[in-house]
Amino acid sequence: MGYPQSLWAATRKSNNSRPVLNENIHTDVAIIGGGFTGLAAALFLSKAGKKVVVVEKERIGWGASGRNAGMLTTGYKKSIFDLEGKLGTEKAKELMDMSADCVKLVKGIVDEYQINCSLQTDGGIRVAYKPSHFEALKKEHEHLLEKFQYETELVDSQNIQAEIYSPIYQYGGLIDRKSFAFHPLNYVIGLAEIAEKEGASIYESTEVTSIIKKQNSVDRFILNTPNGEIKCTHIVIATNGYTSDITKRLKKSIMPIGSHIIATQPLPDQLANQIIPNKRVISDTKNFLYYFRLTPDQRLLFGGRVNFKTSATQSEYEQIYSALHDNMLSVFPDLKEMGIEYRWGGTTGFTFDFMPHIGETDDGMHFAIGYCGHGAAMSTLLGKILAYKITGEERTETVLESLPLRTIPLHGQRVKILNLLGYYYKIADKIS
Ligand SMILES: Cc1cc2nc3c(=O)[nH]c(=O)nc-3n(C[C@H](O)[C@H](O)[C@H](O)COP(=O)(O)OP(=O)(O)OC[C@H]3O[C@@H](n4cnc5c(N)ncnc54)[C@H](O)[C@@H]3O)c2cc1C
């Protein structure tokens, strides 16, 4: 299957495909999923001398990794206050440091291996949707500095137009200069190329259809694919929002949620400079949040959750993209003459506690999943940690590894739950 018709697919730096697996093979580590998580794990495992095979059912980056907005932001879906309340100050600090580290890690890999993925290092800003949301951002800014020595910059209502020119974001925002943007599919392609140079093998159009656990201590697992089997000692599950029945327990722990993006034609300089003068990546403070940025060729890329669906009929997609366009015009009315040239969507993976999870299943399969829409940078770090877990690298265990992954109650009823959740969030955004 090819890539979706995204801006990223249309501007990818290479279209080299990888072979389908057509034989029985043996490897140290088999990685299921060719996105950021799987390919980062492949890179670090190969560098450590392991024999690694990545199996992707479509193309590398076909999942969320090649479709996202390319916004590498710090923080988590949960607020720092929630994290601290649940885990205590020390662990919350470690989590904040991890979120800054993962952004640095991606930048370090891009710089070291000269991956051509259009880095834009102008920082990010979260803009307040309501006056009460600005008060919350202010508290967060002060708290981060006092308790965690973590620096952000507060922008008040007097100065917000220097960041964004929009009738609906008038109250202020919080800048984190560590955040940045890239071309996600070109980063995927770059990661795959360097992992291959280090010795990893990548198979595309190869779906793992089942996994068999053996008692043998070397060939502990057999992965079945339509035209060949893989015997291996370790497995990495890196399938996030696309996790299927081959790992039933993990599937029940992940809620797949759709997110959609539109991209305008390139904007004239004056218009681009007017709407987002400092070219930062932007998201807002709603539950049904909007996220947006300018691309290097000055298109506005605008995304959001219009609903939670992961698949839809053609007419439902038309409604989703038309609603997204309306949302974009409510933020930037001055773009009404600008055409929409790309529209696409993908699936994110949410967990019960809204946190990413890394660990091992009861039968010994390694996994990193559940980024809750914040995985563009964290997935590279968790891929690296998975590699270290497998090679036995001496290191201190991270807080994320200690969080238990719960199955989601009534997972089979997820369409109903998502509809209810969507309804609740829409009301909450109106009244909170
Ligand atoms: C529209 C959209 C916008 C987003 N924007 C942002 C953003 O701006 N910033 C941010 O931080 N995060 C964002 N995200 C989330 C981010 O993209 C993900 O968290 C991240 O890409 C997860 O990477 P991954 O490698 O774990 O999973 P994925 O990239 O989803 O890869 C999983 C892969 O597993 C493969 N697979 C599944 N089952 C099998 C099988 N049985 N056999 C073989 N292969 C299999 C799939 O085909 C898929 O390619 C966005 C997501 C979407 C959808």
Side-chain angles (χ1 to χ4, degrees), residues 130-148:
K130 293 181 178 179
S132 60
H133 295 188
F134 178 67
E135 289 310 311
L137 288 178
K138 197 170 161 193
K139 262 200 214 150
E140 185 178 330
H141 162 71
E142 287 161 2
H143 192 77
L144 283 172
L145 193 60
E146 276 163 28
K147 273 244 169 116
F148 303 113

Side-chain angles (χ1 to χ4, degrees), residues 161-205:
Q161 286 197 356
E163 294 292 337
I164 180 168
Y165 187 75
S166 162
I168 70 168
Y169 299 119
Q170 302 272 334
Y171 310 109
L174 190 62
I175 295 175
D176 193 332
R177 287 187 186 266
K178 291 178 277 309
S179 299
F180 67 92
F182 67 5
H183 185 306
L185 187 54
N186 282 346
Y187 176 66
V188 166
I189 292 169
L191 264 188
E193 287 171 353
I194 56 177
E196 285 169 328
K197 275 200 188 115
E198 295 288 348
S201 305
I202 302 176
Y203 294 95
E204 292 184 322
S205 305

Side-chain angles (χ1 to χ4, degrees), residues 32-38 55-58 62-65 67-71 206-208 238-240 242 244 246 259-261 291 346-348 371 373-377 379:
I32 309 176
F36 297 148
T37 307
V55 199
E56 166 54 52
K57 76 180 162 82
E58 311 287 351
W62 177 90
S65 299
R67 303 174 187 229
N68 59 70
M71 295 170 44
T206 302
E207 179 171 7
V208 176
T239 48
N240 199 38
Y242 299 87
S244 69
I246 57 165
S259 196
H260 296 85
I261 295 179
Y291 50 88
T347 304
T348 57
Y371 301 101
H374 285 253
S379 49

Side-chain angles (χ1 to χ4, degrees), residues 69-72 117-123 179-183 279-281 293-294:
M71 295 170 44
L72 290 95
C117 59
S118 317
L119 283 198
Q120 293 166 272
T121 53
D122 306 290
S179 299
F180 67 92
F182 67 5
H183 185 306
K279 309 224 170 350
R280 301 196 210 284
V281 299
R293 56 174 279 214
L294 289 169

Side-chain angles (χ1 to χ4, degrees), residues 344-370:
W344 73 95
T347 304
T348 57
F350 277 64
T351 52
F352 190 66
D353 61 0
F354 292 103
M355 289 299 285
H357 283 263
I358 175 168
E360 224 175 299
T361 62
D362 291 344
D363 40 12
M365 294 188 262
H366 297 274
F367 65 83
I369 52 173

Side-chain angles (χ1 to χ4, degrees), residues 216-228:
N216 188 328
S217 64
V218 179
D219 293 331
R220 288 169 64 214
F221 299 97
I222 299 177
L223 278 66
N224 290 309
T225 78
N227 302 309

Side-chain angles (χ1 to χ4, degrees), residues 79-356:
S79 78
I80 188 63
F81 298 107
D82 287 343
L83 293 176
E84 207 177 346
K86 192 169 169 226
L87 301 165
T89 304
E90 212 173 296
K91 289 184 176 174
K93 175 167 176 19
E94 191 195 316
L95 285 171
M96 274 317 288
D97 289 345
M98 252 181 114
S99 91
D101 286 349
C102 66
V103 170
K104 263 195 235 150
L105 173 69
V106 174
K107 176 127 190 338
I109 292 175
V110 171
D111 288 345
E112 181 182 349
Y113 294 96
Q114 297 287 295
I115 297 177
N116 175 4
C117 59
S118 317
L119 283 198
Q120 293 166 272
T121 53
D122 306 290
I125 180 166
R126 257 185 308 143
V127 288
Y129 182 62
K130 293 181 178 179
S132 60
H133 295 188
F134 178 67
E135 289 310 311
L137 288 178
K138 197 170 161 193
K139 262 200 214 150
E140 185 178 330
H141 162 71
E142 287 161 2
H143 192 77
L144 283 172
L145 193 60
E146 276 163 28
K147 273 244 169 116
F148 303 113
Q149 297 76 52
Y150 188 100
E151 285 183 18
T152 51
E153 291 162 45
L154 198 64
V155 181
D156 62 17
S157 56
Q158 309 290 313
N159 295 302
I160 193 66
Q161 286 197 356
E163 294 292 337
I164 180 168
Y165 187 75
S166 162
I168 70 168
Y169 299 119
Q170 302 272 334
Y171 310 109
L174 190 62
I175 295 175
D176 193 332
R177 287 187 186 266
K178 291 178 277 309
S179 299
F180 67 92
F182 67 5
H183 185 306
L185 187 54
N186 282 346
Y187 176 66
V188 166
I189 292 169
L191 264 188
E193 287 171 353
I194 56 177
E196 285 169 328
K197 275 200 188 115
E198 295 288 348
S201 305
I202 302 176
Y203 294 95
E204 292 184 322
S205 305
T206 302
E207 179 171 7
V208 176
T209 49
S210 63
I211 301 169
I212 298 166
K213 173 89 195 277
K214 308 288 278 183
Q215 295 311 321
N216 188 328
S217 64
V218 179
D219 293 331
R220 288 169 64 214
F221 299 97
I222 299 177
L223 278 66
N224 290 309
T225 78
N227 302 309
E229 65 173 34
I230 306 168
K231 287 190 175 138
C232 60
T233 316
H234 302 280
I235 291 189
V236 168
I237 309 292
T239 48
N240 199 38
Y242 299 87
T243 301
S244 69
D245 280 331
I246 57 165
T247 49
K248 285 203 171 65
R249 165 74 169 71
L250 290 181
K251 185 182 173 188
K252 284 188 182 157
S253 307
I254 285 284
M255 189 70 92
I257 289 186
S259 196
H260 296 85
I261 295 179
I262 51 179
T264 64
Q265 67 185 88
L267 307 180
D269 288 352
Q270 197 210 347
L271 192 51
N273 292 336
Q274 175 196 314
I275 60 168
I276 308 181
N278 290 327
K279 309 224 170 350
R280 301 196 210 284
V281 299
I282 304 184
S283 58
D284 74 14
T285 51
K286 291 197 273 44
N287 288 305
F288 255 91
L289 89 170
Y290 303 153
Y291 50 88
F292 42 94
R293 56 174 279 214
L294 289 169
T295 57
D297 61 349
Q298 291 196 156
R299 298 169 188 277
L300 181 78
L301 189 152
F302 188 92
R305 267 169 215 118
V306 178
N307 65 30
F308 287 126
K309 285 191 169 179
T310 54
S311 64
T313 62
Q314 193 52 40
S315 77
E316 284 172 327
Y317 276 126
E318 290 305 325
Q319 280 171 22
I320 287 174
Y321 291 118
S322 148
L324 206 50
H325 192 196
D326 290 346
N327 295 344
M328 184 192 93
L329 292 178
S330 72
V331 175
F332 296 120
D334 293 339
L335 298 191
K336 63 180 179 305
E337 304 299 334
M338 296 295 113
I340 300 299
E341 295 193 345
Y342 296 94
R343 315 178 320 165
W344 73 95
T347 304
T348 57
F350 277 64
T351 52
F352 190 66
D353 61 0
F354 292 103
M355 289 299 285

